[in-house]
Amino acid sequence: MPHSKTLARFKHPNIVRVQDVFEANNSAYIIMDFEEGDSLERVLKKGKMGTEEALLSIVHPTLDALEAVHEAGFLHRDIKPDNIIVRPDGSPVLLDFGAARLGICVATRPLTVLMTKDYGPYEQFDWGTGKQGPWTDLYAVGASLYRATTGKPPANAFNRNRARAAK
C-alpha cells in the first residue's frame, strides 16, 4: 500500500488527481477527483473524433501523462478508451488507476493478470508468467488508437496468439 500513496502525489494535467488512498475491509480504496466530460469510447461512438488532428490532441497529452506514470515507476495496466475522459475543453485525462502497480523490476518479475481483453497485450494474458513493463501500456494505447481509427477494438492478443500457434 505505501506505493499506492505515490499515486496521490501525481500533479499532471492529464492524470486524474488522487485525493486519498486507504485500506479498509481487507481491501484498498482509491478516492479520485470527478472529471467532467465523456469517455473517449463515448466520444468515438458519437462520431465526434473524426479528424487526425482531433485524435492527436488526445493521444499526445495521454502519452505525456503515461510517461509521467512510467517515470514514477508505475504501470497503468488498463488503458482503454473507457479510461480516458475527454473534458469539455477537449483535453484528455487518464483515469482508473485501480489496476496500476509499481512496475520496478517487472521485466524480471511477473504481475497478476488484470486488463480489458481487447486492449491488453499477450503478456497480460499469460496468467502471472508474462513480464510487463511500459510496453504493456503502450500496446494498450496502440489498441485504443486502432479502435479510434477503425471503429472497433483489435482482436484480442490471446486469441491472435492462439490462432497463430494453431497454424
Side-chain angles (χ1 to χ4, degrees), residues 123-156:
E123 59 266 22
Q124 281 186 279
F125 283 96
D126 210 4
W127 290 275
T129 60
K131 308 303 182 233
Q132 298 176 41
W135 57 88
T136 308
D137 287 340
L138 291 175
Y139 177 95
V141 170
S144 297
L145 282 171
Y146 183 92
R147 159 64 183 100
T149 57
T150 68
K152 60 184 181 197
N156 81 55

PDB file of all heavy atoms in Angstrom, residues 123-156:
ATOM      1  N   GLU A 123       1.198 -10.559 -22.931  1.00  0.00           N
ATOM      2  CA  GLU A 123       1.837 -10.837 -21.640  1.00  0.00           C
ATOM      3  C   GLU A 123       0.888 -10.643 -20.462  1.00  0.00           C
ATOM      4  O   GLU A 123       1.077 -11.223 -19.404  1.00  0.00           O
ATOM      5  CB  GLU A 123       3.128 -10.041 -21.437  1.00  0.00           C
ATOM      6  CG  GLU A 123       2.987  -8.549 -21.496  1.00  0.00           C
ATOM      7  CD  GLU A 123       3.253  -7.962 -22.870  1.00  0.00           C
ATOM      8  OE1 GLU A 123       3.149  -8.688 -23.887  1.00  0.00           O
ATOM      9  OE2 GLU A 123       3.556  -6.758 -22.941  1.00  0.00           O
ATOM     10  N   GLN A 124      -0.164  -9.873 -20.638  1.00  0.00           N
ATOM     11  CA  GLN A 124      -1.147  -9.733 -19.565  1.00  0.00           C
ATOM     12  C   GLN A 124      -2.105 -10.923 -19.513  1.00  0.00           C
ATOM     13  O   GLN A 124      -2.761 -11.124 -18.507  1.00  0.00           O
ATOM     14  CB  GLN A 124      -1.932  -8.429 -19.705  1.00  0.00           C
ATOM     15  CG  GLN A 124      -1.134  -7.240 -19.190  1.00  0.00           C
ATOM     16  CD  GLN A 124      -1.950  -5.972 -19.189  1.00  0.00           C
ATOM     17  OE1 GLN A 124      -2.090  -5.328 -20.208  1.00  0.00           O
ATOM     18  NE2 GLN A 124      -2.485  -5.626 -18.043  1.00  0.00           N
ATOM     19  N   PHE A 125      -2.155 -11.712 -20.566  1.00  0.00           N
ATOM     20  CA  PHE A 125      -2.970 -12.925 -20.570  1.00  0.00           C
ATOM     21  C   PHE A 125      -2.183 -14.115 -20.030  1.00  0.00           C
ATOM     22  O   PHE A 125      -2.728 -15.192 -19.877  1.00  0.00           O
ATOM     23  CB  PHE A 125      -3.388 -13.285 -22.010  1.00  0.00           C
ATOM     24  CG  PHE A 125      -4.495 -12.453 -22.554  1.00  0.00           C
ATOM     25  CD1 PHE A 125      -4.221 -11.348 -23.341  1.00  0.00           C
ATOM     26  CD2 PHE A 125      -5.813 -12.773 -22.296  1.00  0.00           C
ATOM     27  CE1 PHE A 125      -5.242 -10.590 -23.867  1.00  0.00           C
ATOM     28  CE2 PHE A 125      -6.844 -12.014 -22.826  1.00  0.00           C
ATOM     29  CZ  PHE A 125      -6.560 -10.923 -23.615  1.00  0.00           C
ATOM     30  N   ASP A 126      -0.920 -13.939 -19.783  1.00  0.00           N
ATOM     31  CA  ASP A 126      -0.016 -15.051 -19.520  1.00  0.00           C
ATOM     32  C   ASP A 126      -0.103 -15.566 -18.082  1.00  0.00           C
ATOM     33  O   ASP A 126       0.815 -16.198 -17.594  1.00  0.00           O
ATOM     34  CB  ASP A 126       1.415 -14.631 -19.875  1.00  0.00           C
ATOM     35  CG  ASP A 126       2.259 -15.805 -20.325  1.00  0.00           C
ATOM     36  OD1 ASP A 126       1.736 -16.920 -20.428  1.00  0.00           O
ATOM     37  OD2 ASP A 126       3.452 -15.583 -20.561  1.00  0.00           O
ATOM     38  N   TRP A 127      -1.198 -15.284 -17.395  1.00  0.00           N
ATOM     39  CA  TRP A 127      -1.510 -15.792 -16.072  1.00  0.00           C
ATOM     40  C   TRP A 127      -0.340 -15.792 -15.113  1.00  0.00           C
ATOM     41  O   TRP A 127       0.037 -16.796 -14.533  1.00  0.00           O
ATOM     42  CB  TRP A 127      -2.158 -17.175 -16.161  1.00  0.00           C
ATOM     43  CG  TRP A 127      -3.517 -17.025 -16.720  1.00  0.00           C
ATOM     44  CD1 TRP A 127      -4.630 -16.733 -16.012  1.00  0.00           C
ATOM     45  CD2 TRP A 127      -3.897 -17.063 -18.084  1.00  0.00           C
ATOM     46  NE1 TRP A 127      -5.708 -16.590 -16.860  1.00  0.00           N
ATOM     47  CE2 TRP A 127      -5.281 -16.793 -18.143  1.00  0.00           C
ATOM     48  CE3 TRP A 127      -3.222 -17.285 -19.268  1.00  0.00           C
ATOM     49  CZ2 TRP A 127      -5.979 -16.751 -19.313  1.00  0.00           C
ATOM     50  CZ3 TRP A 127      -3.935 -17.244 -20.443  1.00  0.00           C
ATOM     51  CH2 TRP A 127      -5.291 -16.982 -20.452  1.00  0.00           C
ATOM     52  N   GLY A 128       0.262 -14.613 -14.977  1.00  0.00           N
ATOM     53  CA  GLY A 128       1.293 -14.427 -13.979  1.00  0.00           C
ATOM     54  C   GLY A 128       2.704 -14.733 -14.431  1.00  0.00           C
ATOM     55  O   GLY A 128       3.640 -14.516 -13.689  1.00  0.00           O
ATOM     56  N   THR A 129       2.890 -15.247 -15.652  1.00  0.00           N
ATOM     57  CA  THR A 129       4.249 -15.547 -16.099  1.00  0.00           C
ATOM     58  C   THR A 129       4.758 -14.535 -17.114  1.00  0.00           C
ATOM     59  O   THR A 129       5.952 -14.487 -17.386  1.00  0.00           O
ATOM     60  CB  THR A 129       4.337 -16.963 -16.723  1.00  0.00           C
ATOM     61  OG1 THR A 129       3.450 -17.022 -17.846  1.00  0.00           O
ATOM     62  CG2 THR A 129       3.949 -18.027 -15.715  1.00  0.00           C
ATOM     63  N   GLY A 130       3.880 -13.732 -17.676  1.00  0.00           N
ATOM     64  CA  GLY A 130       4.300 -12.732 -18.655  1.00  0.00           C
ATOM     65  C   GLY A 130       4.960 -11.547 -17.981  1.00  0.00           C
ATOM     66  O   GLY A 130       4.503 -11.067 -16.956  1.00  0.00           O
ATOM     67  N   LYS A 131       6.049 -11.086 -18.540  1.00  0.00           N
ATOM     68  CA  LYS A 131       6.762  -9.934 -17.998  1.00  0.00           C
ATOM     69  C   LYS A 131       6.124  -8.668 -18.556  1.00  0.00           C
ATOM     70  O   LYS A 131       5.863  -8.564 -19.739  1.00  0.00           O
ATOM     71  CB  LYS A 131       8.243  -9.986 -18.359  1.00  0.00           C
ATOM     72  CG  LYS A 131       8.930 -11.300 -17.995  1.00  0.00           C
ATOM     73  CD  LYS A 131       8.805 -11.635 -16.528  1.00  0.00           C
ATOM     74  CE  LYS A 131       9.543 -12.919 -16.217  1.00  0.00           C
ATOM     75  NZ  LYS A 131       8.745 -13.901 -15.538  1.00  0.00           N
ATOM     76  N   GLN A 132       5.865  -7.715 -17.667  1.00  0.00           N
ATOM     77  CA  GLN A 132       5.206  -6.482 -18.068  1.00  0.00           C
ATOM     78  C   GLN A 132       6.107  -5.283 -17.804  1.00  0.00           C
ATOM     79  O   GLN A 132       6.959  -5.320 -16.938  1.00  0.00           O
ATOM     80  CB  GLN A 132       3.897  -6.332 -17.296  1.00  0.00           C
ATOM     81  CG  GLN A 132       2.925  -7.470 -17.590  1.00  0.00           C
ATOM     82  CD  GLN A 132       1.676  -7.381 -16.764  1.00  0.00           C
ATOM     83  OE1 GLN A 132       1.147  -6.294 -16.574  1.00  0.00           O
ATOM     84  NE2 GLN A 132       1.189  -8.506 -16.289  1.00  0.00           N
ATOM     85  N   GLY A 133       5.891  -4.251 -18.571  1.00  0.00           N
ATOM     86  CA  GLY A 133       6.652  -3.017 -18.424  1.00  0.00           C
ATOM     87  C   GLY A 133       5.928  -1.900 -19.146  1.00  0.00           C
ATOM     88  O   GLY A 133       4.760  -2.053 -19.527  1.00  0.00           O
ATOM     89  N   PRO A 134       6.594  -0.779 -19.379  1.00  0.00           N
ATOM     90  CA  PRO A 134       5.952   0.330 -20.094  1.00  0.00           C
ATOM     91  C   PRO A 134       5.365  -0.102 -21.436  1.00  0.00           C
ATOM     92  O   PRO A 134       4.342   0.433 -21.865  1.00  0.00           O
ATOM     93  CB  PRO A 134       7.090   1.339 -20.274  1.00  0.00           C
ATOM     94  CG  PRO A 134       7.989   1.071 -19.105  1.00  0.00           C
ATOM     95  CD  PRO A 134       7.937  -0.423 -18.913  1.00  0.00           C
ATOM     96  N   TRP A 135       5.976  -1.067 -22.080  1.00  0.00           N
ATOM     97  CA  TRP A 135       5.478  -1.577 -23.359  1.00  0.00           C
ATOM     98  C   TRP A 135       4.058  -2.133 -23.227  1.00  0.00           C
ATOM     99  O   TRP A 135       3.291  -2.093 -24.181  1.00  0.00           O
ATOM    100  CB  TRP A 135       6.412  -2.653 -23.925  1.00  0.00           C
ATOM    101  CG  TRP A 135       6.618  -3.813 -22.998  1.00  0.00           C
ATOM    102  CD1 TRP A 135       5.860  -4.942 -22.894  1.00  0.00           C
ATOM    103  CD2 TRP A 135       7.646  -3.934 -22.025  1.00  0.00           C
ATOM    104  NE1 TRP A 135       6.353  -5.760 -21.909  1.00  0.00           N
ATOM    105  CE2 TRP A 135       7.458  -5.170 -21.353  1.00  0.00           C
ATOM    106  CE3 TRP A 135       8.728  -3.135 -21.634  1.00  0.00           C
ATOM    107  CZ2 TRP A 135       8.282  -5.632 -20.327  1.00  0.00           C
ATOM    108  CZ3 TRP A 135       9.560  -3.595 -20.621  1.00  0.00           C
ATOM    109  CH2 TRP A 135       9.338  -4.812 -19.979  1.00  0.00           C
ATOM    110  N   THR A 136       3.704  -2.622 -22.050  1.00  0.00           N
ATOM    111  CA  THR A 136       2.364  -3.150 -21.804  1.00  0.00           C
ATOM    112  C   THR A 136       1.328  -2.036 -21.981  1.00  0.00           C
ATOM    113  O   THR A 136       0.307  -2.220 -22.647  1.00  0.00           O
ATOM    114  CB  THR A 136       2.293  -3.731 -20.374  1.00  0.00           C
ATOM    115  OG1 THR A 136       3.378  -4.643 -20.183  1.00  0.00           O
ATOM    116  CG2 THR A 136       0.995  -4.448 -20.120  1.00  0.00           C
ATOM    117  N   ASP A 137       1.599  -0.890 -21.382  1.00  0.00           N
ATOM    118  CA  ASP A 137       0.697   0.256 -21.516  1.00  0.00           C
ATOM    119  C   ASP A 137       0.713   0.819 -22.932  1.00  0.00           C
ATOM    120  O   ASP A 137      -0.329   1.233 -23.454  1.00  0.00           O
ATOM    121  CB  ASP A 137       1.094   1.359 -20.533  1.00  0.00           C
ATOM    122  CG  ASP A 137       0.753   1.024 -19.091  1.00  0.00           C
ATOM    123  OD1 ASP A 137      -0.112   0.154 -18.846  1.00  0.00           O
ATOM    124  OD2 ASP A 137       1.348   1.647 -18.194  1.00  0.00           O
ATOM    125  N   LEU A 138       1.878   0.841 -23.570  1.00  0.00           N
ATOM    126  CA  LEU A 138       1.955   1.383 -24.930  1.00  0.00           C
ATOM    127  C   LEU A 138       1.163   0.522 -25.913  1.00  0.00           C
ATOM    128  O   LEU A 138       0.544   1.043 -26.841  1.00  0.00           O
ATOM    129  CB  LEU A 138       3.410   1.522 -25.369  1.00  0.00           C
ATOM    130  CG  LEU A 138       4.177   2.602 -24.617  1.00  0.00           C
ATOM    131  CD1 LEU A 138       5.644   2.603 -25.028  1.00  0.00           C
ATOM    132  CD2 LEU A 138       3.558   3.976 -24.836  1.00  0.00           C
ATOM    133  N   TYR A 139       1.167  -0.793 -25.703  1.00  0.00           N
ATOM    134  CA  TYR A 139       0.336  -1.666 -26.526  1.00  0.00           C
ATOM    135  C   TYR A 139      -1.133  -1.243 -26.404  1.00  0.00           C
ATOM    136  O   TYR A 139      -1.851  -1.134 -27.397  1.00  0.00           O
ATOM    137  CB  TYR A 139       0.494  -3.125 -26.095  1.00  0.00           C
ATOM    138  CG  TYR A 139      -0.398  -4.064 -26.881  1.00  0.00           C
ATOM    139  CD1 TYR A 139       0.075  -4.738 -27.996  1.00  0.00           C
ATOM    140  CD2 TYR A 139      -1.734  -4.257 -26.523  1.00  0.00           C
ATOM    141  CE1 TYR A 139      -0.748  -5.579 -28.725  1.00  0.00           C
ATOM    142  CE2 TYR A 139      -2.566  -5.085 -27.245  1.00  0.00           C
ATOM    143  CZ  TYR A 139      -2.069  -5.751 -28.347  1.00  0.00           C
ATOM    144  OH  TYR A 139      -2.899  -6.571 -29.070  1.00  0.00           O
ATOM    145  N   ALA A 140      -1.574  -0.999 -25.164  1.00  0.00           N
ATOM    146  CA  ALA A 140      -2.965  -0.630 -24.927  1.00  0.00           C
ATOM    147  C   ALA A 140      -3.307   0.715 -25.572  1.00  0.00           C
ATOM    148  O   ALA A 140      -4.424   0.902 -26.068  1.00  0.00           O
ATOM    149  CB  ALA A 140      -3.261  -0.605 -23.427  1.00  0.00           C
ATOM    150  N   VAL A 141      -2.355   1.652 -25.574  1.00  0.00           N
ATOM    151  CA  VAL A 141      -2.573   2.927 -26.272  1.00  0.00           C
ATOM    152  C   VAL A 141      -2.736   2.654 -27.764  1.00  0.00           C
ATOM    153  O   VAL A 141      -3.646   3.191 -28.410  1.00  0.00           O
ATOM    154  CB  VAL A 141      -1.419   3.922 -26.013  1.00  0.00           C
ATOM    155  CG1 VAL A 141      -1.531   5.136 -26.931  1.00  0.00           C
ATOM    156  CG2 VAL A 141      -1.392   4.352 -24.556  1.00  0.00           C
ATOM    157  N   GLY A 142      -1.874   1.804 -28.308  1.00  0.00           N
ATOM    158  CA  GLY A 142      -1.982   1.440 -29.725  1.00  0.00           C
ATOM    159  C   GLY A 142      -3.306   0.771 -30.041  1.00  0.00           C
ATOM    160  O   GLY A 142      -3.936   1.060 -31.067  1.00  0.00           O
ATOM    161  N   ALA A 143      -3.754  -0.113 -29.158  1.00  0.00           N
ATOM    162  CA  ALA A 143      -5.045  -0.776 -29.357  1.00  0.00           C
ATOM    163  C   ALA A 143      -6.182   0.248 -29.308  1.00  0.00           C
ATOM    164  O   ALA A 143      -7.157   0.147 -30.067  1.00  0.00           O
ATOM    165  CB  ALA A 143      -5.247  -1.858 -28.299  1.00  0.00           C
ATOM    166  N   SER A 144      -6.055   1.238 -28.437  1.00  0.00           N
ATOM    167  CA  SER A 144      -7.060   2.298 -28.353  1.00  0.00           C
ATOM    168  C   SER A 144      -7.068   3.138 -29.635  1.00  0.00           C
ATOM    169  O   SER A 144      -8.136   3.533 -30.115  1.00  0.00           O
ATOM    170  CB  SER A 144      -6.805   3.186 -27.134  1.00  0.00           C
ATOM    171  OG  SER A 144      -6.936   2.432 -25.944  1.00  0.00           O
ATOM    172  N   LEU A 145      -5.886   3.407 -30.183  1.00  0.00           N
ATOM    173  CA  LEU A 145      -5.798   4.125 -31.461  1.00  0.00           C
ATOM    174  C   LEU A 145      -6.431   3.310 -32.581  1.00  0.00           C
ATOM    175  O   LEU A 145      -7.101   3.855 -33.463  1.00  0.00           O
ATOM    176  CB  LEU A 145      -4.339   4.424 -31.802  1.00  0.00           C
ATOM    177  CG  LEU A 145      -3.711   5.584 -31.065  1.00  0.00           C
ATOM    178  CD1 LEU A 145      -2.211   5.627 -31.325  1.00  0.00           C
ATOM    179  CD2 LEU A 145      -4.359   6.889 -31.484  1.00  0.00           C
ATOM    180  N   TYR A 146      -6.192   2.009 -32.548  1.00  0.00           N
ATOM    181  CA  TYR A 146      -6.812   1.121 -33.541  1.00  0.00           C
ATOM    182  C   TYR A 146      -8.329   1.254 -33.466  1.00  0.00           C
ATOM    183  O   TYR A 146      -9.012   1.401 -34.480  1.00  0.00           O
ATOM    184  CB  TYR A 146      -6.369  -0.321 -33.283  1.00  0.00           C
ATOM    185  CG  TYR A 146      -6.889  -1.310 -34.291  1.00  0.00           C
ATOM    186  CD1 TYR A 146      -6.147  -1.636 -35.412  1.00  0.00           C
ATOM    187  CD2 TYR A 146      -8.131  -1.933 -34.118  1.00  0.00           C
ATOM    188  CE1 TYR A 146      -6.615  -2.552 -36.348  1.00  0.00           C
ATOM    189  CE2 TYR A 146      -8.614  -2.835 -35.038  1.00  0.00           C
ATOM    190  CZ  TYR A 146      -7.854  -3.148 -36.153  1.00  0.00           C
ATOM    191  OH  TYR A 146      -8.327  -4.040 -37.075  1.00  0.00           O
ATOM    192  N   ARG A 147      -8.867   1.222 -32.248  1.00  0.00           N
ATOM    193  CA  ARG A 147     -10.309   1.383 -32.045  1.00  0.00           C
ATOM    194  C   ARG A 147     -10.794   2.724 -32.595  1.00  0.00           C
ATOM    195  O   ARG A 147     -11.828   2.818 -33.253  1.00  0.00           O
ATOM    196  CB  ARG A 147     -10.625   1.248 -30.551  1.00  0.00           C
ATOM    197  CG  ARG A 147     -11.924   1.850 -30.065  1.00  0.00           C
ATOM    198  CD  ARG A 147     -13.142   1.176 -30.660  1.00  0.00           C
ATOM    199  NE  ARG A 147     -14.369   1.824 -30.226  1.00  0.00           N
ATOM    200  CZ  ARG A 147     -15.055   2.696 -30.956  1.00  0.00           C
ATOM    201  NH1 ARG A 147     -14.627   3.062 -32.160  1.00  0.00           N
ATOM    202  NH2 ARG A 147     -16.183   3.214 -30.520  1.00  0.00           N
ATOM    203  N   ALA A 148     -10.012   3.770 -32.328  1.00  0.00           N
ATOM    204  CA  ALA A 148     -10.406   5.112 -32.759  1.00  0.00           C
ATOM    205  C   ALA A 148     -10.407   5.260 -34.285  1.00  0.00           C
ATOM    206  O   ALA A 148     -11.223   5.984 -34.835  1.00  0.00           O
ATOM    207  CB  ALA A 148      -9.481   6.160 -32.143  1.00  0.00           C
ATOM    208  N   THR A 149      -9.507   4.559 -34.953  1.00  0.00           N
ATOM    209  CA  THR A 149      -9.399   4.726 -36.408  1.00  0.00           C
ATOM    210  C   THR A 149     -10.214   3.723 -37.210  1.00  0.00           C
ATOM    211  O   THR A 149     -10.587   4.016 -38.346  1.00  0.00           O
ATOM    212  CB  THR A 149      -7.918   4.668 -36.863  1.00  0.00           C
ATOM    213  OG1 THR A 149      -7.351   3.435 -36.440  1.00  0.00           O
ATOM    214  CG2 THR A 149      -7.136   5.821 -36.278  1.00  0.00           C
ATOM    215  N   THR A 150     -10.509   2.554 -36.641  1.00  0.00           N
ATOM    216  CA  THR A 150     -11.258   1.535 -37.390  1.00  0.00           C
ATOM    217  C   THR A 150     -12.702   1.398 -36.939  1.00  0.00           C
ATOM    218  O   THR A 150     -13.508   0.792 -37.633  1.00  0.00           O
ATOM    219  CB  THR A 150     -10.594   0.152 -37.273  1.00  0.00           C
ATOM    220  OG1 THR A 150     -10.717  -0.312 -35.926  1.00  0.00           O
ATOM    221  CG2 THR A 150      -9.146   0.182 -37.727  1.00  0.00           C
ATOM    222  N   GLY A 151     -13.016   1.922 -35.743  1.00  0.00           N
ATOM    223  CA  GLY A 151     -14.368   1.799 -35.226  1.00  0.00           C
ATOM    224  C   GLY A 151     -14.595   0.561 -34.385  1.00  0.00           C
ATOM    225  O   GLY A 151     -15.691   0.340 -33.882  1.00  0.00           O
ATOM    226  N   LYS A 152     -13.564  -0.277 -34.234  1.00  0.00           N
ATOM    227  CA  LYS A 152     -13.713  -1.484 -33.415  1.00  0.00           C
ATOM    228  C   LYS A 152     -12.371  -1.800 -32.759  1.00  0.00           C
ATOM    229  O   LYS A 152     -11.312  -1.426 -33.273  1.00  0.00           O
ATOM    230  CB  LYS A 152     -14.173  -2.658 -34.260  1.00  0.00           C
ATOM    231  CG  LYS A 152     -13.203  -2.994 -35.375  1.00  0.00           C
ATOM    232  CD  LYS A 152     -13.716  -4.089 -36.265  1.00  0.00           C
ATOM    233  CE  LYS A 152     -12.634  -4.335 -37.307  1.00  0.00           C
ATOM    234  NZ  LYS A 152     -13.001  -5.034 -38.438  1.00  0.00           N
ATOM    235  N   PRO A 153     -12.408  -2.474 -31.612  1.00  0.00           N
ATOM    236  CA  PRO A 153     -11.141  -2.836 -30.975  1.00  0.00           C
ATOM    237  C   PRO A 153     -10.426  -3.922 -31.786  1.00  0.00           C
ATOM    238  O   PRO A 153     -11.066  -4.634 -32.561  1.00  0.00           O
ATOM    239  CB  PRO A 153     -11.560  -3.358 -29.599  1.00  0.00           C
ATOM    240  CG  PRO A 153     -12.980  -3.752 -29.741  1.00  0.00           C
ATOM    241  CD  PRO A 153     -13.570  -2.902 -30.834  1.00  0.00           C
ATOM    242  N   PRO A 154      -9.129  -4.052 -31.601  1.00  0.00           N
ATOM    243  CA  PRO A 154      -8.420  -5.124 -32.302  1.00  0.00           C
ATOM    244  C   PRO A 154      -8.837  -6.489 -31.753  1.00  0.00           C
ATOM    245  O   PRO A 154      -9.385  -6.567 -30.645  1.00  0.00           O
ATOM    246  CB  PRO A 154      -6.947  -4.841 -31.995  1.00  0.00           C
ATOM    247  CG  PRO A 154      -6.973  -4.082 -30.710  1.00  0.00           C
ATOM    248  CD  PRO A 154      -8.243  -3.284 -30.725  1.00  0.00           C
ATOM    249  N   ALA A 155      -8.581  -7.536 -32.519  1.00  0.00           N
ATOM    250  CA  ALA A 155      -8.797  -8.892 -31.998  1.00  0.00           C
ATOM    251  C   ALA A 155      -7.914  -9.042 -30.774  1.00  0.00           C
ATOM    252  O   ALA A 155      -6.773  -8.560 -30.758  1.00  0.00           O
ATOM    253  CB  ALA A 155      -8.424  -9.920 -33.059  1.00  0.00           C
ATOM    254  N   ASN A 156      -8.425  -9.682 -29.735  1.00  0.00           N
ATOM    255  CA  ASN A 156      -7.613  -9.718 -28.526  1.00  0.00           C
ATOM    256  C   ASN A 156      -6.351 -10.553 -28.734  1.00  0.00           C
ATOM    257  O   ASN A 156      -6.315 -11.497 -29.524  1.00  0.00           O
ATOM    258  CB  ASN A 156      -8.436 -10.102 -27.289  1.00  0.00           C
ATOM    259  CG  ASN A 156      -8.671 -11.570 -27.124  1.00  0.00           C
ATOM    260  OD1 ASN A 156      -7.741 -12.362 -27.091  1.00  0.00           O
ATOM    261  ND2 ASN A 156      -9.935 -11.940 -26.985  1.00  0.00           N
TER     262      ASN A 156
END
